Amino acid sequence: DAEISPSVLRRILIFSRNLLAILGVLVLALIAIGYGFYTYYVDYRPFDYANIGLARSHGDFNHEYSVQVSERRHFIIEQANIALYSHDESNILLRCAGSLENPKELNIKQNACLIFVPKQSFSLEAEQVTITLITPENDWDIRIKHATLFLHQGTNSYRIIQEYEQTSGAPYTSDENAETTLKIKAFQAMTKVYQPD
C-alpha cells in the first residue's frame, strides 16, 4: 500500500513507453529482413519459362520494347528476375513487368523481364538476379555475382566454358564439338539445371 511518488511513476511510464517502442521497431525490422531473405532466396517462377508460347503471351509482362541489335548487345542486370530466349527475328524484344526508362541501354534494374534475342553473340553482367536461360541458339558471355542461373538445354548441346568462384551447384555438361558457346563466370552464385514445373 506504499504510495509511489509522481516523479518515480513518471519515470516508470517513460521507461515502459520507450521499451515498447524499441521492441516494436525491432519486430518490424525482423519482419522486413525475413521477407527480404524470403524473396531473395526462394525460387519464384510464376509459370513454365520453357513454354515459349506462354512466355510471349503471359499477362504479367505487359511492357514491350524492341531494340535494334546494331545499337547494343550487352545487358546489365541488377536485382531482377530474367528469362532469356533466342528467336528468329532481327531485333531484341524485351517484355517486362515494369517499365524501362531507356530500353536501348539494355540496363534492367528491379524488374522482371522476358528477353528474346536474335541468333548472334551477346554478353551479360548481372548481380543479385535470377536468370533462366532457355535453349539458347546464340553464344553468351555471362558474368554473374550473388545470383542464380538456371539453364534449360532441352535436346541441344553446348560448348560451356565455366569459371566458378565460391559458387555452388553442379557444373553444366559441355560438348566441345557443339556450335553454340556459353561462357559462364560466376562469383558467389548458384548454377542449376532448369526443370519446368
Side-chain angles (χ1 to χ4, degrees):
D1 294 336
E3 291 186 7
I4 300 175
S5 67
S7 62
V8 172
L9 186 59
R10 192 178 314 114
R11 279 186 280 183
I12 291 172
L13 290 174
I14 291 171
F15 174 78
S16 300
R17 185 183 61 199
N18 291 342
L19 181 62
L20 286 174
I22 291 169
L23 288 175
V25 169
L26 287 176
V27 167
L28 289 175
L30 285 174
I31 291 171
I33 290 170
Y35 180 74
F37 275 112
Y38 175 81
T39 56
Y40 183 77
Y41 287 107
V42 170
D43 172 25
Y44 170 69
R45 296 189 295 225
F47 64 96
D48 179 5
Y49 284 131
N51 185 334
I52 296 175
L54 182 59
R56 285 188 171 271
S57 62
H58 202 278
D60 288 350
F61 304 90
N62 53 8
H63 293 86
E64 191 167 294
Y65 309 94
S66 182
V67 178
Q68 296 287 333
V69 172
S70 58
E71 294 175 5
R72 193 156 185 180
R73 288 197 207 171
H74 179 73
F75 292 89
I76 298 174
I77 303 172
E78 297 176 32
Q79 298 175 346
N81 191 352
I82 303 295
L84 299 167
Y85 301 86
S86 300
H87 67 170
D88 294 324
E89 299 174 20
S90 59
N91 293 343
I92 301 167
L93 177 66
L94 303 163
R95 297 192 68 235
C96 296
S99 61
L100 298 175
E101 288 184 13
N102 190 353
K104 292 182 180 179
E105 290 296 317
L106 302 182
N107 191 343
I108 300 169
K109 294 182 179 180
Q110 298 175 345
N111 211 325
C113 296
L114 309 177
I115 302 173
F116 300 84
V117 297
K119 296 172 185 175
Q120 301 180 28
S121 297
F122 286 87
S123 61
L124 178 149
E125 288 179 63
E127 186 169 353
Q128 295 180 347
V129 300
T130 299
I131 300 171
T132 307
L133 192 56
I134 302 294
T135 55
E137 297 179 43
N138 55 297
D139 295 341
W140 278 100
D141 183 356
I142 297 174
R143 296 170 183 265
I144 58 174
K145 182 178 181 182
H146 309 302
T148 302
L149 174 66
F150 291 94
L151 173 62
H152 179 60
Q153 291 185 248
T155 58
N156 298 353
S157 59
Y158 301 100
R159 179 175 178 260
I160 301 178
I161 302 168
Q162 304 169 82
E163 185 179 334
Y164 293 165
E165 185 177 345
Q166 299 176 28
T167 294
S168 60
Y172 300 122
T173 304
S174 179
D175 178 359
E176 294 304 314
N177 298 319
E179 294 180 10
T180 305
T181 300
L182 305 177
K183 185 177 180 183
I184 302 168
K185 185 173 183 180
F187 175 73
Q188 293 181 350
M190 175 79 72
T191 58
K192 299 180 180 180
V193 174
Y194 177 75
Q195 298 293 340
D197 295 332

